[in-house]
Amino acid sequence: MSLDGTYDEGNIFAKILRGEMPSAKVFEDDHVFAFMDVFPQSKGHTLVIPKHSRARNLLEEEPQVLSHLILGVQRVARAVRAALQPDGIVITQFNGAPAGQTVYHLHIHIIPRWEGVPMGRHASGGMADPKELAALAEQIAAKIS
Ligand code: AMP
Protein backbone atom coordinates (compact mmCIF):
# COMPACT_ATOMS: atom_id res chain seq x y z
CA MET A 1 0.00 0.00 0.00
CA SER A 2 1.19 3.43 -0.85
CA LEU A 3 0.89 6.60 1.20
CA ASP A 4 -2.51 7.22 -0.37
CA GLY A 5 -5.60 5.17 0.37
CA THR A 6 -8.61 4.84 2.59
CA TYR A 7 -8.70 3.69 6.18
CA ASP A 8 -9.76 0.04 6.49
CA GLU A 9 -11.99 -0.50 9.55
CA GLY A 10 -11.01 -4.17 9.40
CA ASN A 11 -7.31 -3.58 10.07
CA ILE A 12 -5.89 -5.57 12.95
CA PHE A 13 -5.34 -2.60 15.29
CA ALA A 14 -8.91 -1.35 14.75
CA LYS A 15 -10.06 -4.85 15.72
CA ILE A 16 -7.88 -4.76 18.85
CA LEU A 17 -9.36 -1.37 19.79
CA ARG A 18 -12.90 -2.72 19.33
CA GLY A 19 -12.04 -5.76 21.47
CA GLU A 20 -12.51 -8.14 18.54
CA MET A 21 -8.90 -9.35 18.73
CA PRO A 22 -6.83 -10.05 21.85
CA SER A 23 -3.77 -8.04 22.81
CA ALA A 24 -1.29 -7.87 25.67
CA LYS A 25 -2.38 -4.47 26.94
CA VAL A 26 0.17 -2.25 28.66
CA PHE A 27 -1.67 1.04 29.06
CA GLU A 28 -4.75 2.93 27.99
CA ASP A 29 -6.14 6.41 28.60
CA ASP A 30 -8.78 8.48 26.79
CA HIS A 31 -6.49 9.02 23.80
CA VAL A 32 -4.02 6.16 23.35
CA PHE A 33 -3.75 2.37 23.71
CA ALA A 34 -0.43 0.58 24.21
CA PHE A 35 0.17 -3.16 23.79
CA MET A 36 2.94 -5.65 23.12
CA ASP A 37 4.03 -6.33 19.53
CA VAL A 38 3.39 -10.02 18.79
CA PHE A 39 6.43 -10.23 16.48
CA PRO A 40 8.83 -8.38 18.78
CA GLN A 41 12.12 -7.03 17.46
CA SER A 42 13.43 -7.10 21.03
CA LYS A 43 12.16 -8.03 24.48
CA GLY A 44 9.59 -5.41 25.47
CA HIS A 45 8.74 -4.18 21.95
CA THR A 46 5.60 -2.12 22.56
CA LEU A 47 3.20 -0.33 20.20
CA VAL A 48 1.26 2.85 20.95
CA ILE A 49 -1.78 3.77 18.86
CA PRO A 50 -4.34 6.57 18.90
CA LYS A 51 -7.78 5.33 19.98
CA HIS A 52 -9.91 7.82 18.08
CA SER A 53 -8.32 8.01 14.68
CA ARG A 54 -8.79 6.96 11.11
CA ALA A 55 -5.30 7.99 10.07
CA ARG A 56 -3.36 5.32 8.22
CA ASN A 57 -0.07 7.05 8.83
CA LEU A 58 1.61 10.05 10.43
CA LEU A 59 0.99 12.31 7.45
CA GLU A 60 -2.79 11.93 7.76
CA GLU A 61 -3.08 12.53 11.49
CA GLU A 62 -4.68 15.52 13.23
CA PRO A 63 -2.26 17.68 15.28
CA GLN A 64 -4.31 17.24 18.46
CA VAL A 65 -4.26 13.45 18.14
CA LEU A 66 -0.53 13.50 17.44
CA SER A 67 0.10 15.56 20.57
CA HIS A 68 -1.66 12.99 22.74
CA LEU A 69 0.06 10.16 20.88
CA ILE A 70 3.61 11.39 21.40
CA LEU A 71 2.93 12.13 25.07
CA GLY A 72 1.59 8.59 25.41
CA VAL A 73 4.72 7.25 23.71
CA GLN A 74 6.94 9.14 26.15
CA ARG A 75 4.96 7.85 29.11
CA VAL A 76 5.10 4.24 27.95
CA ALA A 77 8.79 4.48 26.94
CA ARG A 78 9.62 5.70 30.44
CA ALA A 79 7.76 2.72 31.88
CA VAL A 80 9.60 0.35 29.50
CA ARG A 81 12.89 1.81 30.72
CA ALA A 82 11.92 1.50 34.38
CA ALA A 83 10.67 -2.07 33.94
CA LEU A 84 13.36 -3.56 31.71
CA GLN A 85 16.43 -1.33 32.20
CA PRO A 86 17.48 -1.26 28.52
CA ASP A 87 20.66 0.52 27.41
CA GLY A 88 18.74 2.41 24.73
CA ILE A 89 15.29 2.69 23.19
CA VAL A 90 14.41 2.94 19.49
CA ILE A 91 11.23 4.92 18.77
CA THR A 92 10.16 4.34 15.20
CA GLN A 93 7.23 4.68 12.79
CA PHE A 94 6.74 3.62 9.16
CA ASN A 95 4.64 5.30 6.45
CA GLY A 96 3.65 3.23 3.41
CA ALA A 97 4.62 -0.30 2.40
CA PRO A 98 7.89 0.74 0.71
CA ALA A 99 8.93 2.22 4.06
CA GLY A 100 8.12 -1.01 5.89
CA GLN A 101 4.57 -0.33 7.09
CA THR A 102 2.43 -3.45 7.40
CA VAL A 103 -0.58 -2.30 9.48
CA TYR A 104 -2.52 0.75 8.33
CA HIS A 105 -3.65 2.34 11.58
CA LEU A 106 -1.10 4.91 12.76
CA HIS A 107 1.20 3.42 15.41
CA ILE A 108 4.56 4.08 17.02
CA HIS A 109 7.06 1.39 17.97
CA ILE A 110 8.97 1.44 21.26
CA ILE A 111 11.87 -1.02 20.95
CA PRO A 112 14.23 -1.41 23.91
CA ARG A 113 17.86 -2.20 23.05
CA TRP A 114 20.71 -3.76 25.02
CA GLU A 115 24.42 -3.43 24.25
CA GLY A 116 25.56 -6.32 22.05
CA VAL A 117 22.05 -7.69 21.46
CA PRO A 118 21.03 -7.35 17.81
CA MET A 119 17.55 -6.06 16.98
CA GLY A 120 15.25 -8.57 15.28
CA ARG A 121 13.88 -8.00 11.78
CA HIS A 122 10.82 -5.80 11.39
CA ALA A 123 7.45 -7.60 11.33
CA SER A 124 9.04 -10.86 10.24
CA GLY A 125 10.48 -12.59 13.29
CA GLY A 126 8.82 -15.37 15.22
CA MET A 127 5.57 -14.88 17.08
CA ALA A 128 6.11 -14.38 20.80
CA ASP A 129 4.65 -16.64 23.46
CA PRO A 130 1.39 -14.95 24.59
CA LYS A 131 2.19 -15.79 28.24
CA GLU A 132 5.58 -14.08 27.98
CA LEU A 133 3.97 -11.04 26.35
CA ALA A 134 1.34 -10.87 29.07
CA ALA A 135 4.07 -11.01 31.75
CA LEU A 136 6.06 -8.24 30.04
CA ALA A 137 2.93 -6.12 29.63
CA GLU A 138 2.26 -6.49 33.35
CA GLN A 139 5.86 -5.56 34.24
CA ILE A 140 5.72 -2.43 32.07
CA ALA A 141 2.20 -1.47 33.19
CA ALA A 142 3.38 -1.57 36.81
CA LYS A 143 5.88 1.21 36.00
CA ILE A 144 3.45 3.60 34.27
CA SER A 145 3.37 6.88 36.17
P1 AMP B 1 4.35 -1.68 10.86
O1 AMP B 1 5.03 -2.70 10.02
O2 AMP B 1 5.18 -0.49 11.21
O3 AMP B 1 3.01 -1.33 10.27
O4 AMP B 1 4.10 -2.36 12.27
C1 AMP B 1 3.09 -3.26 12.53
C2 AMP B 1 3.54 -4.04 13.72
O5 AMP B 1 2.42 -4.71 14.22
C3 AMP B 1 4.61 -5.10 13.42
O6 AMP B 1 5.74 -4.86 14.24
C4 AMP B 1 3.92 -6.41 13.76
O7 AMP B 1 4.79 -7.30 14.36
C5 AMP B 1 2.83 -5.98 14.70
N1 AMP B 1 1.63 -6.77 14.74
C6 AMP B 1 0.96 -7.34 13.72
N2 AMP B 1 -0.16 -7.96 14.17
C7 AMP B 1 -0.21 -7.73 15.51
C8 AMP B 1 -1.11 -8.11 16.55
N3 AMP B 1 -2.20 -8.82 16.32
N4 AMP B 1 -0.83 -7.71 17.82
C9 AMP B 1 0.28 -6.98 18.08
N5 AMP B 1 1.18 -6.62 17.14
C10 AMP B 1 0.93 -6.98 15.87
Side-chain angles (χ1 to χ4, degrees), residues 8-144:
D8 174 11
E9 300 288 351
N11 79 74
I12 194 88
F13 293 171
K15 287 183 178 174
I16 286 173
L17 284 172
R18 292 196 297 266
E20 295 167 9
M21 288 284 295
S23 70
K25 177 175 143 182
V26 170
F27 171 72
E28 165 172 35
D29 65 12
D30 289 346
H31 306 284
V32 301
F33 187 87
F35 56 106
M36 306 311 297
D37 194 305
V38 288
F39 300 102
Q41 290 181 255
S42 77
K43 184 178 86 170
H45 184 166
T46 307
L47 300 169
V48 186
I49 64 178
K51 283 168 70 168
H52 311 291
S53 172
R54 298 180 86 254
R56 298 160 72 248
N57 56 51
L58 186 84
L59 283 63
E60 294 177 355
E61 193 54 277
E62 300 294 332
Q64 197 63 21
V65 177
L66 277 181
S67 305
H68 288 299
L69 180 60
I70 201 66
L71 290 172
V73 168
Q74 185 191 51
R75 196 168 178 190
V76 175
R78 284 175 170 166
V80 167
R81 181 185 185 190
L84 304 178
Q85 305 291 313
D87 301 313
I89 302 177
V90 174
I91 307 283
T92 192
Q93 189 272 324
F94 302 90
N95 299 278
Q101 186 174 10
T102 57
V103 178
Y104 295 87
H105 177 108
L106 173 62
H107 55 280
I108 297 188
H109 298 258
I110 298 172
I111 308 174
R113 300 293 313 274
W114 287 266
E115 294 284 358
V117 180
M119 190 161 85
R121 287 180 58 206
H122 175 66
S124 59
M127 193 178 232
D129 176 349
K131 282 193 188 136
E132 279 175 30
L133 287 187
L136 280 165
E138 201 175 318
Q139 254 183 287
I140 298 167
K143 297 293 185 182
I144 294 278

